[in-house]
mmCIF file of all heavy atoms in Angstrom:
data_model
loop_
_atom_site.group_PDB
_atom_site.id
_atom_site.type_symbol
_atom_site.label_atom_id
_atom_site.label_comp_id
_atom_site.label_asym_id
_atom_site.label_seq_id
_atom_site.Cartn_x
_atom_site.Cartn_y
_atom_site.Cartn_z
ATOM 1 N N MET A 18 35.428 14.421 2.640
ATOM 2 C CA MET A 18 35.104 14.656 4.052
ATOM 3 C C MET A 18 33.985 15.673 4.169
ATOM 4 O O MET A 18 33.921 16.637 3.393
ATOM 5 C CB MET A 18 36.358 15.168 4.784
ATOM 6 C CG MET A 18 36.130 15.498 6.256
ATOM 7 S SD MET A 18 37.605 16.199 7.050
ATOM 8 C CE MET A 18 37.600 17.877 6.417
ATOM 9 N N GLY A 19 33.105 15.491 5.136
ATOM 10 C CA GLY A 19 32.038 16.459 5.356
ATOM 11 C C GLY A 19 31.126 16.020 6.482
ATOM 12 O O GLY A 19 31.189 14.874 6.948
ATOM 13 N N PRO A 20 30.248 16.915 6.939
ATOM 14 C CA PRO A 20 29.293 16.559 8.004
ATOM 15 C C PRO A 20 28.288 15.531 7.511
ATOM 16 O O PRO A 20 28.130 15.324 6.305
ATOM 17 C CB PRO A 20 28.623 17.901 8.335
ATOM 18 C CG PRO A 20 28.804 18.735 7.110
ATOM 19 C CD PRO A 20 30.105 18.314 6.502
ATOM 20 N N GLU A 21 27.610 14.905 8.446
ATOM 21 C CA GLU A 21 26.644 13.866 8.081
ATOM 22 C C GLU A 21 25.530 14.450 7.226
ATOM 23 O O GLU A 21 25.065 15.569 7.446
ATOM 24 C CB GLU A 21 26.059 13.201 9.336
ATOM 25 C CG GLU A 21 25.237 14.096 10.230
ATOM 26 C CD GLU A 21 26.081 14.968 11.144
ATOM 27 O OE1 GLU A 21 27.309 14.823 11.144
ATOM 28 O OE2 GLU A 21 25.492 15.790 11.872
ATOM 29 N N HIS A 141 33.546 11.271 7.869
ATOM 30 C CA HIS A 141 32.747 12.280 8.552
ATOM 31 C C HIS A 141 33.660 13.368 9.114
ATOM 32 O O HIS A 141 34.801 13.101 9.483
ATOM 33 C CB HIS A 141 31.934 11.646 9.688
ATOM 34 C CG HIS A 141 30.862 10.724 9.193
ATOM 35 N ND1 HIS A 141 31.081 9.384 8.973
ATOM 36 C CD2 HIS A 141 29.559 10.945 8.871
ATOM 37 C CE1 HIS A 141 29.961 8.818 8.535
ATOM 38 N NE2 HIS A 141 29.032 9.739 8.463
ATOM 39 N N ALA A 142 33.131 14.581 9.138
ATOM 40 C CA ALA A 142 33.887 15.710 9.687
ATOM 41 C C ALA A 142 33.318 16.080 11.052
ATOM 42 O O ALA A 142 32.118 15.956 11.293
ATOM 43 C CB ALA A 142 33.806 16.911 8.746
ATOM 44 N N LYS A 143 34.198 16.532 11.924
ATOM 45 C CA LYS A 143 33.746 16.994 13.235
ATOM 46 C C LYS A 143 34.439 18.317 13.546
ATOM 47 O O LYS A 143 35.609 18.523 13.211
ATOM 48 C CB LYS A 143 34.082 15.963 14.317
ATOM 49 C CG LYS A 143 35.572 15.743 14.533
ATOM 50 C CD LYS A 143 35.834 14.787 15.693
ATOM 51 C CE LYS A 143 37.345 14.607 15.924
ATOM 52 N NZ LYS A 143 37.631 13.703 17.062
ATOM 53 N N PRO A 144 33.716 19.258 14.195
ATOM 54 C CA PRO A 144 34.354 20.516 14.590
ATOM 55 C C PRO A 144 35.129 20.337 15.891
ATOM 56 O O PRO A 144 34.712 19.593 16.779
ATOM 57 C CB PRO A 144 33.168 21.465 14.775
ATOM 58 C CG PRO A 144 32.031 20.571 15.146
ATOM 59 C CD PRO A 144 32.272 19.257 14.456
ATOM 60 N N ARG A 145 36.264 20.997 15.972
ATOM 61 C CA ARG A 145 37.067 20.950 17.190
ATOM 62 C C ARG A 145 37.535 22.355 17.521
ATOM 63 O O ARG A 145 37.909 23.125 16.629
ATOM 64 C CB ARG A 145 38.280 20.037 17.005
ATOM 65 C CG ARG A 145 39.169 19.916 18.232
ATOM 66 C CD ARG A 145 40.223 18.847 18.034
ATOM 67 N NE ARG A 145 41.208 19.220 17.027
ATOM 68 C CZ ARG A 145 42.330 19.921 17.286
ATOM 69 N NH1 ARG A 145 42.583 20.316 18.518
ATOM 70 N NH2 ARG A 145 43.176 20.211 16.328
ATOM 71 N N LYS A 146 37.465 22.706 18.788
ATOM 72 C CA LYS A 146 37.928 24.025 19.202
ATOM 73 C C LYS A 146 39.433 24.139 18.940
ATOM 74 O O LYS A 146 40.205 23.260 19.305
ATOM 75 C CB LYS A 146 37.637 24.256 20.686
ATOM 76 C CG LYS A 146 36.158 24.405 21.022
ATOM 77 C CD LYS A 146 35.537 25.625 20.338
ATOM 78 C CE LYS A 146 34.055 25.757 20.695
ATOM 79 N NZ LYS A 146 33.431 26.899 19.985
ATOM 80 N N PHE A 147 39.813 25.234 18.294
ATOM 81 C CA PHE A 147 41.198 25.419 17.888
ATOM 82 C C PHE A 147 41.629 26.829 18.242
ATOM 83 O O PHE A 147 40.856 27.775 18.131
ATOM 84 C CB PHE A 147 41.330 25.186 16.380
ATOM 85 C CG PHE A 147 42.743 25.015 15.905
ATOM 86 C CD1 PHE A 147 43.424 23.821 16.037
ATOM 87 C CD2 PHE A 147 43.413 26.079 15.297
ATOM 88 C CE1 PHE A 147 44.730 23.667 15.598
ATOM 89 C CE2 PHE A 147 44.713 25.939 14.849
ATOM 90 C CZ PHE A 147 45.372 24.724 14.995
ATOM 91 N N PHE A 156 38.274 29.117 17.813
ATOM 92 C CA PHE A 156 37.314 28.998 16.722
ATOM 93 C C PHE A 156 37.164 27.521 16.383
ATOM 94 O O PHE A 156 38.000 26.696 16.744
ATOM 95 C CB PHE A 156 37.756 29.798 15.493
ATOM 96 C CG PHE A 156 39.113 29.411 14.957
ATOM 97 C CD1 PHE A 156 39.235 28.433 13.978
ATOM 98 C CD2 PHE A 156 40.264 30.023 15.430
ATOM 99 C CE1 PHE A 156 40.471 28.075 13.472
ATOM 100 C CE2 PHE A 156 41.509 29.663 14.935
ATOM 101 C CZ PHE A 156 41.617 28.687 13.953
ATOM 102 N N ASP A 157 36.048 27.197 15.712
ATOM 103 C CA ASP A 157 35.796 25.814 15.321
ATOM 104 C C ASP A 157 36.584 25.479 14.061
ATOM 105 O O ASP A 157 36.602 26.259 13.104
ATOM 106 C CB ASP A 157 34.308 25.590 15.051
ATOM 107 C CG ASP A 157 33.511 25.497 16.344
ATOM 108 O OD1 ASP A 157 34.116 25.167 17.376
ATOM 109 O OD2 ASP A 157 32.293 25.759 16.308
ATOM 110 N N ARG A 158 37.217 24.315 14.078
ATOM 111 C CA ARG A 158 37.963 23.840 12.921
ATOM 112 C C ARG A 158 37.495 22.431 12.592
ATOM 113 O O ARG A 158 37.448 21.558 13.466
ATOM 114 C CB ARG A 158 39.465 23.837 13.201
ATOM 115 C CG ARG A 158 40.313 23.480 11.997
ATOM 116 C CD ARG A 158 41.801 23.625 12.325
ATOM 117 N NE ARG A 158 42.598 23.535 11.120
ATOM 118 C CZ ARG A 158 43.015 22.390 10.581
ATOM 119 N NH1 ARG A 158 42.704 21.258 11.171
ATOM 120 N NH2 ARG A 158 43.735 22.398 9.472
ATOM 121 N N TYR A 159 37.111 22.199 11.322
ATOM 122 C CA TYR A 159 36.636 20.883 10.915
ATOM 123 C C TYR A 159 37.809 19.980 10.565
ATOM 124 O O TYR A 159 38.731 20.383 9.853
ATOM 125 C CB TYR A 159 35.698 20.993 9.706
ATOM 126 C CG TYR A 159 34.308 21.447 10.052
ATOM 127 C CD1 TYR A 159 33.950 22.790 9.980
ATOM 128 C CD2 TYR A 159 33.340 20.522 10.448
ATOM 129 C CE1 TYR A 159 32.669 23.209 10.296
ATOM 130 C CE2 TYR A 159 32.052 20.929 10.768
ATOM 131 C CZ TYR A 159 31.722 22.274 10.693
ATOM 132 O OH TYR A 159 30.458 22.686 11.009
ATOM 133 N N GLU A 160 37.747 18.756 11.071
ATOM 134 C CA GLU A 160 38.770 17.764 10.767
ATOM 135 C C GLU A 160 38.107 16.399 10.679
ATOM 136 O O GLU A 160 36.941 16.220 11.060
ATOM 137 C CB GLU A 160 39.859 17.763 11.835
ATOM 138 C CG GLU A 160 39.333 17.564 13.237
ATOM 139 C CD GLU A 160 40.399 17.744 14.300
ATOM 140 O OE1 GLU A 160 41.331 18.536 14.077
ATOM 141 O OE2 GLU A 160 40.284 17.090 15.352
ATOM 142 N N MET A 161 38.832 15.413 10.175
ATOM 143 C CA MET A 161 38.264 14.082 10.033
ATOM 144 C C MET A 161 37.953 13.461 11.391
ATOM 145 O O MET A 161 38.712 13.627 12.346
ATOM 146 C CB MET A 161 39.230 13.177 9.254
ATOM 147 C CG MET A 161 39.223 13.440 7.771
ATOM 148 S SD MET A 161 40.239 12.264 6.840
ATOM 149 C CE MET A 161 41.868 12.964 7.103
ATOM 150 N N LYS A 162 36.840 12.762 11.449
ATOM 151 C CA LYS A 162 36.396 12.129 12.687
ATOM 152 C C LYS A 162 37.150 10.815 12.891
ATOM 153 O O LYS A 162 36.570 9.723 12.914
ATOM 154 C CB LYS A 162 34.880 11.890 12.631
ATOM 155 C CG LYS A 162 34.248 11.520 13.958
ATOM 156 C CD LYS A 162 32.748 11.356 13.783
ATOM 157 C CE LYS A 162 32.077 10.930 15.078
ATOM 158 N NZ LYS A 162 30.613 10.737 14.878
ATOM 159 N N LEU A 163 38.443 10.947 13.004
ATOM 160 C CA LEU A 163 39.328 9.808 13.195
ATOM 161 C C LEU A 163 40.236 10.073 14.390
ATOM 162 O O LEU A 163 40.346 11.217 14.851
ATOM 163 C CB LEU A 163 40.190 9.576 11.944
ATOM 164 C CG LEU A 163 39.452 9.215 10.649
ATOM 165 C CD1 LEU A 163 40.391 9.314 9.458
ATOM 166 C CD2 LEU A 163 38.862 7.817 10.734
ATOM 167 N N ARG A 165 43.722 10.667 16.489
ATOM 168 C CA ARG A 165 44.862 11.528 16.175
ATOM 169 C C ARG A 165 46.008 10.750 15.529
ATOM 170 O O ARG A 165 46.907 11.350 14.929
ATOM 171 C CB ARG A 165 45.356 12.212 17.453
ATOM 172 C CG ARG A 165 44.359 13.203 18.049
ATOM 173 C CD ARG A 165 44.893 13.831 19.314
ATOM 174 N NE ARG A 165 43.924 14.721 19.936
ATOM 175 C CZ ARG A 165 43.792 16.006 19.645
ATOM 176 N NH1 ARG A 165 44.586 16.548 18.736
ATOM 177 N NH2 ARG A 165 42.892 16.749 20.244
ATOM 178 N N PHE A 180 36.844 18.898 1.316
ATOM 179 C CA PHE A 180 35.956 19.191 2.439
ATOM 180 C C PHE A 180 34.641 19.732 1.895
ATOM 181 O O PHE A 180 34.593 20.781 1.242
ATOM 182 C CB PHE A 180 36.579 20.212 3.388
ATOM 183 C CG PHE A 180 35.643 20.665 4.472
ATOM 184 C CD1 PHE A 180 35.033 19.753 5.316
ATOM 185 C CD2 PHE A 180 35.356 22.014 4.645
ATOM 186 C CE1 PHE A 180 34.152 20.159 6.309
ATOM 187 C CE2 PHE A 180 34.481 22.436 5.633
ATOM 188 C CZ PHE A 180 33.880 21.510 6.470
ATOM 189 N N ASN A 182 30.763 21.133 2.434
ATOM 190 C CA ASN A 182 29.953 21.800 3.454
ATOM 191 C C ASN A 182 28.935 22.701 2.767
ATOM 192 O O ASN A 182 28.973 22.913 1.553
ATOM 193 C CB ASN A 182 30.845 22.619 4.392
ATOM 194 C CG ASN A 182 30.218 22.814 5.767
ATOM 195 O OD1 ASN A 182 29.089 22.387 6.017
ATOM 196 N ND2 ASN A 182 30.930 23.460 6.666
ATOM 197 N N PRO A 210 42.288 27.750 7.817
ATOM 198 C CA PRO A 210 42.307 27.653 9.280
ATOM 199 C C PRO A 210 41.093 26.936 9.864
ATOM 200 O O PRO A 210 41.173 26.377 10.954
ATOM 201 C CB PRO A 210 42.358 29.119 9.729
ATOM 202 C CG PRO A 210 43.017 29.834 8.605
ATOM 203 C CD PRO A 210 42.550 29.134 7.364
ATOM 204 N N CYS A 211 39.978 26.934 9.121
ATOM 205 C CA CYS A 211 38.737 26.350 9.652
ATOM 206 C C CYS A 211 38.453 24.937 9.154
ATOM 207 O O CYS A 211 37.459 24.344 9.548
ATOM 208 C CB CYS A 211 37.549 27.252 9.325
ATOM 209 S SG CYS A 211 37.601 28.849 10.168
ATOM 210 N N TRP A 212 39.300 24.387 8.271
ATOM 211 C CA TRP A 212 39.066 23.021 7.813
ATOM 212 C C TRP A 212 40.334 22.429 7.199
ATOM 213 O O TRP A 212 41.237 23.127 6.760
ATOM 214 C CB TRP A 212 37.924 22.946 6.804
ATOM 215 C CG TRP A 212 38.111 23.815 5.585
ATOM 216 C CD1 TRP A 212 38.956 23.608 4.527
ATOM 217 C CD2 TRP A 212 37.427 25.049 5.312
ATOM 218 N NE1 TRP A 212 38.842 24.615 3.609
ATOM 219 C CE2 TRP A 212 37.910 25.521 4.064
ATOM 220 C CE3 TRP A 212 36.449 25.779 5.985
ATOM 221 C CZ2 TRP A 212 37.447 26.698 3.496
ATOM 222 C CZ3 TRP A 212 35.999 26.958 5.412
ATOM 223 C CH2 TRP A 212 36.488 27.401 4.187
ATOM 224 N N ASP A 213 40.368 21.104 7.198
ATOM 225 C CA ASP A 213 41.410 20.354 6.504
ATOM 226 C C ASP A 213 40.991 20.163 5.056
ATOM 227 O O ASP A 213 39.848 19.780 4.778
ATOM 228 C CB ASP A 213 41.617 18.972 7.144
ATOM 229 C CG ASP A 213 42.504 19.014 8.374
ATOM 230 O OD1 ASP A 213 43.340 19.932 8.457
ATOM 231 O OD2 ASP A 213 42.356 18.143 9.246
#
Side-chain angles (χ1 to χ4, degrees):
M18 178 184 76
E21 64 280 356
H141 292 89
K143 65 176 182 179
R145 181 172 68 88
K146 291 298 180 183
F147 194 80
F156 57 91
D157 284 337
R158 186 175 191 275
Y159 282 94
E160 55 187 30
M161 283 186 280
K162 193 178 178 182
L163 297 168
R165 294 179 183 272
F180 173 55
N182 205 357
C211 294
W212 57 74
D213 278 333

